[in-house]
Amino acid sequence: MEKVDNKDLEKKFQEKIDQDIKIEPNDWMPDNYRDTLIRQISQHAHSEVVGMLPEGNWITRAPNLRRKAVLLAKVQDEAGHGLYLYSAVETLGADREDTIDDLHSGKAKYSSIFNYPTLTWADMGAIGWLVDGAAIMNQVPLCRCSYGPYARAMVRVCKEESFHQRQGFEVMTKLAAGTPEQKEMAQDALNRFWWPALMMFGPNDADSKHTEQSMKWKIKRHTNDELRQQFVNVTVPQAEMIGLTVPDKDIKWNDSKNGYDFGAINWDEFWQVVGGNGPCNQERVEARRKAKENGSWVVEAAAAFANKRMKKTA
Amino acid sequence: MTIEKKNWPLWEVFIRGKQGLNHKHVGSLRASDSVMAIKNARDVYTRRAEGISIWVVPSNMISASDPCDEESLFEPSQSKVYRHPTFYDVPDGISHM
Amino acid sequence: MTTKEALYKYVLRLGDDSLILGQRLSELCGHGPILEEDIATTNISLDLIGQATLFLEYAGSLSNEFKTNDELAFLRLEKDYLNVLLVEQPNGHFGDTIMRQFLFDAFRLPLLTKLQDSKDNTLSSIAEKALKETKYHLRHSSEWVVRLGDGTEESHHKIQESLNTLYRYSHELFFVDEADVLLQQEAIIPELDDIKSQWSQTIKDVLEMATLSLPTNNWKFEGGRMGRHSEHMGYLLAEMQYMQRTYPNMEW
């Protein structure tokens, strides 16, 4: 291979990005681009997998057979999404199990929404509707992300995710139209998940350290605040439609920006939860760590078996 | 090939969507052997009836062209426009061609 | 006992086996040994809950006071559930889960195959659908029994222990009472002789490949088919029935 100047390669790389040509696994890419992607995609994958836990908490207690099957299928999809994403991470030369170990050691992060507890059945509705709703809003632009395998994984994820949001909204709708007890349960879930859902879009643009570079690389297409605003705009009327109230007294339609004004987010809480002080941080990571630890003898057994069989046929 | 104790090999997965179509690459997964790889592929990549046939290939068995060779490999064929039917003029009134 | 009463009882037993095993497997969602296996286990759980939905719907239509499948699934007393003790046993470690599944699948496959020829059309059509799923389940569980049995020393030891513990529960799969006899006479359900010999053959073949041996202790546990369960059952039901018991008569 000819020796090429890095500066030159970097210029060509950026030109490709500017022309909306996708970057594929074997293409040259700046180390920073690779590292950013490994970090972002693996954290995204971890979020899918850790995200199985709060909803998994209610599978065995789902109120009827239909809801049980739907929830089970939904949570299983999250595992699938995790896998699509880990598969994209591996195209960058990172090892899936290494990134998982980073999750277990606390080095790698995941979406902090999953550190909130699921206390009632209505939380299954709130999560599907709000959390998956916010996730979709984040993820749809990622289908056009500059890195091919990530973009393709996101296309798959987004296609599957829309059922998730609908089933959640259906749960909420049913509760909101049910007995006073059920309606109260729905409102309570909305109260608890509304603000954490808004925090899912990340810090305000002014405080977001990765945004600028990620936009230039087209890993990111919209800023955190843009997406958050869009989420508020579509979700507030949905809540009204089913007779629930978003827990923010500052919500008000603003004609001049063609969107809702909304109250200040408690960023202190956000950073505390990111930093490990959410109500369920320890339980979530512990559950995942235990799953891997308890499964290690199974992984080893299958490897040993495969090796024996290969020897036999060789 | 010996499989690592703690980490199963990576497999690339190809799915035939329906009879008459090619197998298409959809992603990868981990499995200890090919039997398991096919089953895992079924569970991971065809949960919504996306396929009727599965291929799995150990990722490290795939040889790929080098992106650095892109120009020398693929650009020469771009100038051979005469390989495409649109290169030729067909007089008006001529059909079935 | 009328044919209808006998059929109600029989379909309930089929439905309860699927329901309780599906419930047990659903506990594992998010906690599997590796992500791919997590997804596979959940698929099996989903199949079983789907089967339970169909069986219990049919059972409900046969009951004297018409019941929905949800009423049957969530609002019976423990003694009215008729699943075998095997399926209510806790998940334990992965070897326990797989062995429980294997002993069950190896029975279900020949049973459903024969049930396809039932004179009862509803039963035969549910069996036909469930059979396709069960073929896959048995492949999955038997492949894992072989992998673990012939894997490492540790895995061999573990899955042998699982077999030793769970084998005692497998005899109940062949439980027969007057309801069964009546339905067999009317060619609604099959005789069990062939099914038992197929089951034994499957067990023998797979254990041989897995380098495992049948336990010498041949003690038999039974009771579930008559509504007499193990201590585990109460907790399983408390969890499963939580919503319906706490908030009676509501729609979800």
Side-chain angles (χ1 to χ4, degrees):
Chain A
M1 197 163 61
E2 295 160 64
K3 195 173 163 13
V4 206
D5 187 6
N6 255 12
K7 273 264 156 22
D8 192 41
L9 284 170
E10 212 157 334
K11 202 174 138 235
K12 278 203 181 127
F13 172 83
Q14 190 60 48
E15 275 167 15
K16 255 169 130 178
I17 299 237
D18 294 340
Q19 290 168 45
D20 276 329
I21 297 172
K22 293 269 187 264
I23 308 300
E24 294 296 342
N26 291 332
D27 294 346
W28 186 91
M29 60 186 87
D31 290 346
N32 269 343
Y33 179 81
R34 186 185 297 276
D35 294 344
T36 301
L37 279 172
I38 291 176
R39 194 193 65 235
Q40 182 175 333
I41 305 174
S42 62
Q43 289 187 6
H44 195 161
H46 301 331
S47 300
E48 298 283 353
V49 175
V50 175
M52 296 170 76
L53 299 169
E55 285 175 292
N57 187 33
W58 279 89
I59 291 172
T60 55
R61 289 179 290 171
N64 59 39
L65 291 166
R66 179 174 178 269
R67 294 283 177 220
K68 193 187 283 293
V70 168
L71 186 61
L72 199 49
K74 196 229 158 186
V75 179
Q76 183 199 37
D77 270 352
E78 311 294 358
H81 297 174
L83 246 162
Y84 304 158
L85 289 159
Y86 284 125
S87 156
V89 175
E90 304 220 54
T91 64
L92 290 157
D95 188 292
R96 167 173 126 191
E97 294 306 314
D98 292 343
T99 68
I100 290 176
D101 289 339
D102 284 346
L103 168 72
H104 297 171
S105 73
K107 196 177 140 202
K109 301 278 177 240
Y110 54 89
S111 182
S112 48
I113 189 87
F114 302 120
N115 292 317
Y116 290 88
T118 51
L119 304 177
T120 70
W121 170 251
D123 291 8
M124 298 306 100
I127 289 183
W129 173 34
L130 303 173
V131 176
D132 289 275
I136 291 170
M137 212 142 259
N138 258 324
Q139 289 169 351
V140 167
L142 285 173
C143 298
R144 294 186 298 126
C145 151
S146 62
Y147 187 58
Y150 192 22
R152 291 191 288 274
M154 289 324 298
V155 170
R156 266 189 114 76
V157 170
C158 285
K159 243 201 267 172
E160 300 186 355
E161 200 93 23
S162 61
F163 120 66
H164 296 178
Q165 192 186 12
R166 282 184 190 190
Q167 67 86 29
F169 193 63
E170 191 189 87
V171 167
M172 281 307 244
T173 308
K174 193 99 191 180
L175 293 176
T179 64
E181 241 172 325
Q182 285 175 307
K183 187 165 182 182
E184 193 192 320
M185 196 190 281
Q187 182 62 53
D188 167 64
L190 173 59
N191 292 350
R192 281 181 291 111
F193 277 95
W194 174 255
W195 291 107
L198 293 193
M199 294 177 200
M200 280 176 71
F201 296 94
N204 285 131
D205 296 346
D207 306 314
S208 175
K209 56 179 176 176
H210 301 301
T211 296
E212 199 190 330
Q213 180 61 69
S214 286
M215 301 267 285
K216 199 175 150 222
W217 279 334
K218 294 191 182 167
I219 295 174
K220 214 169 167 170
R221 298 273 184 165
H222 303 281
T223 70
N224 297 351
D225 287 331
E226 282 166 14
L227 290 168
R228 187 167 14 243
Q229 182 66 55
Q230 207 185 330
F231 176 76
V232 173
N233 291 352
V234 303
T235 312
V236 170
Q238 289 169 354
E240 278 169 11
M241 199 103 74
I242 57 173
L244 298 178
T245 315
V246 167
D248 178 357
K249 58 180 176 11
D250 296 324
I251 288 270
K252 217 174 94 195
W253 180 256
N254 180 338
D255 256 337
S256 67
K257 72 172 187 187
N258 202 24
Y260 288 93
D261 289 329
F262 53 95
I265 289 171
N266 182 350
W267 291 114
D268 193 34
E269 175 182 325
F270 174 76
W271 290 115
Q272 283 296 330
V273 179
V274 170
N277 290 325
C280 299
N281 292 56
Q282 268 143 24
E283 289 93 328
R284 299 294 186 239
V285 174
E286 183 57 18
R288 291 308 309 161
R289 213 184 48 71
K290 250 175 89 181
K292 183 167 176 173
E293 195 180 287
N294 292 341
S296 65
W297 70 274
V298 178
V299 173
E300 284 173 29
F305 174 78
N307 283 329
K308 279 189 202 172
R309 287 295 144 118
M310 271 188 291
K311 244 189 222 155
K312 264 190 200 160
T313 52
Chain B
M1 185 169 89
T2 312
I3 293 167
E4 271 181 73
K5 208 168 121 192
K6 306 251 173 218
N7 214 350
W8 293 342
L10 193 64
W11 302 74
E12 299 300 322
V13 180
F14 301 82
I15 307 270
R16 188 199 292 287
K18 59 176 187 193
Q19 214 69 19
L21 296 181
N22 288 321
H23 283 79
K24 200 177 147 208
H25 182 247
V26 292
S28 65
L29 47 75
R30 296 269 172 182
S32 62
D33 55 50
S34 61
V35 174
M36 192 201 283
I38 288 178
K39 266 176 45 311
N40 287 348
R42 176 256 195 194
D43 288 331
V44 175
Y45 290 103
T46 68
R47 291 196 305 287
R48 287 173 173 75
E50 292 96 334
I52 53 141
S53 165
I54 297 171
W55 286 352
V56 291
V57 183
S59 304
N60 60 11
M61 297 298 277
I62 291 182
S63 308
S65 61
D66 190 329
C68 298
D69 297 337
E70 194 183 322
E71 291 173 9
S72 63
L73 282 177
F74 307 113
E75 270 184 28
S77 73
Q78 282 174 16
S79 59
K80 298 181 180 62
V81 285
Y82 42 80
R83 284 197 199 275
H84 299 278
T86 46
F87 178 73
Y88 303 93
D89 291 327
V90 177
D92 290 344
I94 299 286
S95 52
H96 305 296
M97 189 175 280
Chain C
M1 183 180 269
T2 65
T3 308
K4 196 179 157 193
E5 282 163 352
L7 190 57
Y8 169 68
K9 201 170 182 186
Y10 185 79
V11 176
L12 209 52
R13 286 171 174 167
L14 288 173
D16 286 346
D17 282 352
S18 299
L19 177 69
I20 302 303
L21 188 53
Q23 172 76 3
R24 272 291 185 231
L25 292 176
S26 78
E27 294 168 14
L28 295 168
C29 184
H31 306 277
I34 190 161
L35 214 40
E36 283 86 347
E37 187 53 37
D38 203 306
I39 296 174
T41 307
T42 306
N43 255 353
I44 296 171
S45 175
L46 272 172
D47 286 343
L48 289 168
I49 287 164
Q51 291 172 16
T53 305
L54 296 174
F55 282 131
L56 294 181
E57 185 181 1
Y58 186 38
S61 74
L62 294 165
S63 68
N64 286 331
E65 65 277 40
F66 179 87
K67 287 200 156 117
T68 66
N69 48 14
D70 282 327
E71 283 171 307
L72 285 177
F74 295 96
L75 290 169
R76 274 177 291 159
L77 298 175
E78 179 175 322
K79 66 179 179 58
D80 298 326
Y81 285 82
L82 301 178
N83 56 282
V84 289
L85 296 177
L86 176 69
V87 295
E88 73 197 47
Q89 296 311 303
N91 292 321
H93 59 61
F94 184 70
D96 297 329
T97 304
I98 283 294
M99 187 51 78
R100 183 185 64 197
Q101 191 69 37
F102 170 62
L103 294 171
F104 180 75
D105 294 339
F107 164 75
R108 263 290 170 117
L109 182 88
L111 175 69
L112 292 170
T113 308
K114 294 262 184 185
L115 273 176
Q116 288 184 115
D117 303 327
S118 167
K119 269 169 76 182
D120 185 278
N121 288 336
T122 313
L123 196 52
S124 71
S125 75
I126 301 175
E128 199 186 325
K129 180 182 179 292
L131 178 64
K132 290 178 194 136
E133 298 165 348
T134 305
K135 277 184 183 160
Y136 179 80
H137 302 174
L138 178 60
R139 258 185 65 191
H140 183 82
S141 56
S142 51
E143 281 168 15
W144 267 114
V145 168
V146 175
R147 271 190 206 105
L148 297 177
D150 195 15
T152 61
E153 216 174 291
E154 182 189 8
S155 70
H156 176 85
H157 178 74
K158 277 193 146 135
I159 188 95
Q160 180 67 57
E161 284 287 302
S162 310
L163 177 61
N164 296 349
T165 312
L166 291 166
Y167 192 67
R168 298 172 292 178
Y169 294 99
S170 62
H171 307 282
E172 197 185 10
L173 293 164
F174 303 96
F175 176 90
V176 175
D177 70 2
E178 54 166 344
D180 298 82
V181 173
L182 198 153
L183 295 171
Q184 282 169 351
Q185 280 162 358
E186 301 200 20
I188 293 173
I189 66 167
E191 306 268 345
L192 288 176
D193 302 349
D194 279 0
I195 294 171
K196 176 123 198 200
S197 64
Q198 273 194 61
W199 179 82
S200 304
Q201 193 62 47
T202 308
I203 303 291
K204 189 171 162 278
D205 292 346
V206 171
L207 293 189
E208 195 176 303
M209 279 190 284
T211 70
L212 297 171
S213 41
L214 279 180
T216 45
N217 179 352
N218 214 16
W219 182 245
K220 298 169 186 181
F221 279 148
E222 58 178 30
R225 281 285 186 252
M226 295 168 286
R228 216 173 51 239
H229 293 276
S230 57
E231 283 186 351
H232 307 296
M233 188 66 171
Y235 292 96
L236 182 146
L237 291 180
E239 200 170 337
M240 190 169 81
Q241 298 184 337
Y242 168 72
M243 290 295 290
Q244 291 287 349
R245 297 289 187 203
T246 315
Y247 305 96
N249 303 317
M250 294 186 198
E251 299 262 329
W252 304 93

